[in-house]
Amino acid sequence: MPWSEEAAGRAVDEIFERRVPPLRALVGDAEQVARACHAMATRFHEGGKLIVFGNGGPSTDAQHVAVEFVHPVIVGKRALPAISLTADVATVTGVATGAGLDEIFAHQIRHLADPGDIALGISTDGGCGNVLRGLAEARRKGLLTVGLLGGDGGRIARSGLDHVLIADARDPRVVKEVHVTTYHILWELVHVFFEHPGALRREAIA
């Protein structure tokens, strides 16, 4: 039996409504987002680079984030150094074979990162073991650590990161959509801080 127009309308309304609370929560986290952006901009200003990583869907997000910073789509915006640890399939599979999947990001950070860099780990549910290990290694080396997470943030949110940004949803599709919005905001606000050099002092946001 075909759907009625009323039933179809209810389904559309429900699909959109599912996305409203996590987006409102993101707006409510504006101060945390601003603090993370300021810390990132400060590291870039001091010569650091952005290192991004995640599994599955977040692995493509990591590559998206990296290219946004390295090759801005908006004319006149400054290119900033960023790499995705998911882009080198030979290294990822080699480390996974030799040391295990949980080490694929930690190993690369150990050998590629400098203390002044930024580590951005992306996880849909906050429970990815290799993202957790990568961020732990980044903390050990002195990097600025940022978690872009979903659900309740999971183990990663509780691991002592410098900045935690959570898409408060259980539906991985909704988490993905909020994450895309969030990292575009990260990119934009980092550039806002660069346009106001006085704001790049570490004490500018207390």
Side-chain angles (χ1 to χ4, degrees):
M1 182 177 178
W3 272 17
S4 68
E5 192 172 309
E6 181 182 354
R10 284 197 303 270
V12 170
D13 288 345
E14 190 277 329
I15 289 169
F16 278 99
E17 283 298 321
R18 196 184 313 151
R19 286 149 171 82
V20 171
L23 287 170
R24 283 182 176 157
L26 176 61
V27 172
D29 287 341
E31 182 177 343
Q32 293 182 55
V33 174
R35 289 180 181 277
C37 290
H38 179 261
M40 291 172 65
T42 301
R43 290 289 180 118
F44 279 125
H45 180 65
E46 294 172 349
K49 63 182 176 292
L50 175 63
I51 300 173
V52 201
F53 47 97
N55 295 292
S59 73
T60 61
D61 286 320
Q63 292 174 259
H64 186 166
V65 172
V67 73
E68 291 276 358
F69 278 92
V70 170
H71 183 65
V73 295
I74 297 178
V75 174
K77 296 297 183 181
R78 176 175 174 176
L80 295 166
I83 58 172
S84 165
L85 299 186
T86 65
D88 184 346
V89 175
T91 296
V92 169
T93 54
V95 175
T97 300
L101 191 62
D102 277 356
E103 292 300 310
I104 58 175
F105 304 132
H107 178 89
Q108 293 183 76
I109 287 169
R110 194 173 300 123
H111 297 286
L112 296 175
D114 296 309
D117 292 340
I118 307 153
L120 173 59
I122 308 173
S123 173
T124 303
D125 62 3
C128 299
N130 49 22
V131 175
L132 180 67
R133 286 280 304 114
L135 288 166
E137 180 62 24
R139 285 182 61 214
R140 188 191 69 78
K141 290 198 68 167
L143 279 72
L144 177 74
T145 53
V146 183
L148 184 54
L149 313 170
D152 65 358
R155 293 184 297 159
I156 298 173
R158 299 187 292 272
S159 66
L161 304 182
D162 296 305
H163 299 277
V164 174
L165 305 173
I166 298 175
D168 188 10
R170 298 291 179 181
D171 185 331
R173 297 165 299 180
V174 176
V175 170
K176 168 84 169 181
E177 291 159 14
V178 176
H179 279 178
V180 172
T181 298
T182 304
Y183 60 70
H184 281 139
I185 291 171
L186 290 178
W187 178 88
E188 191 163 352
L189 277 180
V190 163
H191 283 277
V192 168
F193 283 120
F194 266 100
E195 289 161 7
H196 298 82
L200 292 175
R201 300 188 310 274
R202 287 183 180 268
E203 67 277 11
I205 293 187

